[in-house]
Amino acid sequence: TLWGCVGLPAEQTIFAMDTYITLKAYGPGSGAAIKEAAEVFTEIDQLMNIFNSSSELSMVNAAAGQYAVQVSADTFGVIEEALNLAYLTDGAFNPVIGSVSKLWKQAEMLSQVPDREQIQQALRFTDYRKVILNSSNKTVELPEAGMIFDLGGAAKGFAAGKAIERLARYRSIRHVLINAGGNVVVYGGHPEKRPWRISITHPRKNERFLGTLEITDGAVVTSGDYERYFMQDGERYHHIIDPATGYPAKGMQSVSIVSSDSMQADLLSTAVFVLGVSKGLAFLEQYYPEVGAVLVDGDGAIHMTPGFGERYGWR
Ligand code: ADP
Ligand code: MG
């Protein structure tokens, strides 16, 4: 085997950001390096997890309607990107969906759909255009009590990108794969001198794959309705919310995005899920022509961005 050239992989699995994260790196010193990279996920969790009451983002949420809060460059950067996408998608992606997404998180634990009235109330606090950012001193302000940031659609992708950047700084480390619960990031190709092969989970037959694609460097991020959901009266209620209705987005089973940028892939997978097939594909073509996507619609039919199959060796 060619692995002899680069040594055996170091591998570590941790639990952070509400998911299992596996890091694998090949090259001298990879053991220590992946420990360091794994810490990135706990760091970002402590900054951006709204279910951790001491996180930076929780501080911003707690100060809603009162004052601006200074945050780290990381948190500020993710908020900025998330808001940019909110403007670009006219709110289909909405990082201020917290008042509503928290209701659904609770609903999932109770397996009980929230009252329509509760959802209507919560929706009044989701206007992302009201967020006040100050980039010179990195402060963030939610001007109304009841507004809640939720960066759950971007934080994992951001962390995975940052973790791989850290590993790439080690010149001895030649090949890396990080899988953070459906957010896959790779670097340097497979040690057998071929691209990495990344399989995408079938949204309805979870033990089977939808297909496999090949990339050397970059990210593949999937958002689906099949991992966090509950059923009530034959309806599936999942965790990706259409901010226009306050209910789980309809018409899509999963969206996988392929991009050189991990956070961008995470942001776009959630955004395109909400936009749906036709608007989602048109949106990507207009604003992100470099990005690849595989969509599974509500009937299980597969849609792809032009040239996807050839470009990524999709099988
Ligand atoms: P996962 O985190 O399960 O990999 P996603 O990246 O699609 O999946 O993110 C879903 C999370 O994003 C939700 O759990 C919630 O925190 C947040 N979210 C839900 N709906 C939206 C939305 N319309 N815009 C932005 N974030 C959302
Ligand atoms: Mg996402």
Side-chain angles (χ1 to χ4, degrees):
T1 154
L2 289 164
W3 290 6
C5 316
V6 286
L8 285 172
E11 196 174 321
Q12 192 183 346
T13 298
I14 60 160
F15 188 83
M17 309 187 94
D18 214 20
T19 189
Y20 285 97
I21 299 162
T22 299
L23 302 98
K24 203 171 178 178
Y26 297 75
S30 52
I34 60 166
K35 272 215 177 68
E36 190 190 322
E39 282 166 13
V40 171
F41 290 93
T42 10
E43 282 165 27
I44 302 305
D45 207 18
Q46 279 160 15
L47 294 179
M48 302 176 201
N49 185 347
I50 56 168
F51 298 101
N52 169 352
S53 59
S54 62
S55 74
E56 240 177 33
L57 203 59
S58 292
M59 302 297 168
V60 176
N61 287 339
Q66 299 174 71
Y67 49 88
V69 175
Q70 190 168 47
V71 297
S72 61
D74 280 352
T75 302
F76 194 86
V78 175
I79 289 175
E80 252 185 333
E81 288 299 313
L83 284 170
N84 282 342
L85 189 61
Y87 281 98
L88 211 57
T89 59
D90 210 6
F93 186 92
N94 184 347
V96 198
I97 196 70
S99 53
V100 180
S101 62
K102 278 194 157 179
L103 275 183
W104 284 102
K105 175 107 177 171
Q106 201 183 3
E108 185 192 334
M109 291 189 292
L110 305 169
S111 287
Q112 168 75 49
V113 175
D115 293 338
R116 195 160 282 275
E117 180 59 23
Q118 268 183 306
I119 290 174
Q120 294 311 324
Q121 284 288 337
L123 273 173
R124 290 163 43 192
F125 302 103
T126 57
D127 191 350
Y128 58 90
R129 294 167 302 185
K130 292 181 177 166
V131 175
I132 303 163
L133 296 188
N134 182 326
S135 45
S136 43
N137 47 22
K138 303 236 173 334
T139 63
V140 185
E141 182 174 0
L142 293 170
E144 283 173 17
M147 292 180 82
I148 302 174
F149 267 116
D150 176 354
L151 295 177
K156 249 191 293 171
F158 175 75
K162 189 167 174 163
I164 213 145
E165 246 170 51
R166 222 169 254 195
L167 286 166
R169 270 196 230 140
Y170 290 81
R171 293 182 64 201
S172 62
I173 293 178
R174 312 303 286 272
H175 317 278
V176 181
L177 181 142
I178 298 176
N179 186 350
N183 284 40
V184 178
V185 195
V186 296
Y187 164 76
H190 190 277
E192 285 171 9
K193 298 201 186 327
R194 57 168 173 85
W196 287 101
R197 291 185 190 130
I198 298 162
S199 295
I200 292 175
T201 303
H202 192 293
R204 288 294 175 272
K205 301 167 191 147
N206 290 181
E207 69 295 337
R208 273 212 357 225
F209 294 128
L210 192 66
T212 298
L213 59 86
E214 300 189 330
I215 54 169
T216 300
D217 297 288
V220 182
V221 176
T222 300
S223 285
D225 69 358
Y226 55 89
E227 271 189 330
R228 288 192 20 222
Y229 71 96
F230 65 96
M231 302 293 294
Q232 186 175 313
D233 303 327
E235 276 254 29
R236 177 186 291 254
Y237 294 94
H238 59 83
H239 71 308
I240 302 167
I241 307 305
D242 182 351
T245 63
Y247 283 79
K250 288 193 184 296
M252 207 72 115
Q253 294 180 0
S254 83
V255 174
S256 301
I257 299 285
V258 188
S259 167
S260 57
D261 183 285
S262 173
M263 173 164 66
Q264 181 186 72
D266 196 2
L267 286 162
L268 291 178
S269 68
T270 311
V272 171
F273 194 104
V274 175
L275 287 170
V277 175
S278 55
K279 278 192 201 165
L281 287 174
F283 174 77
L284 291 177
E285 188 184 321
Q286 184 175 2
Y287 295 104
Y288 299 91
E290 282 312 300
V291 159
V294 187
L295 285 54
V296 182
D297 70 22
D299 300 322
I302 301 177
H303 308 260
M304 295 175 189
T305 47
F308 186 93
E310 305 82 77
R311 184 174 174 192
Y312 301 108
W314 176 253
R315 289 189 273 143

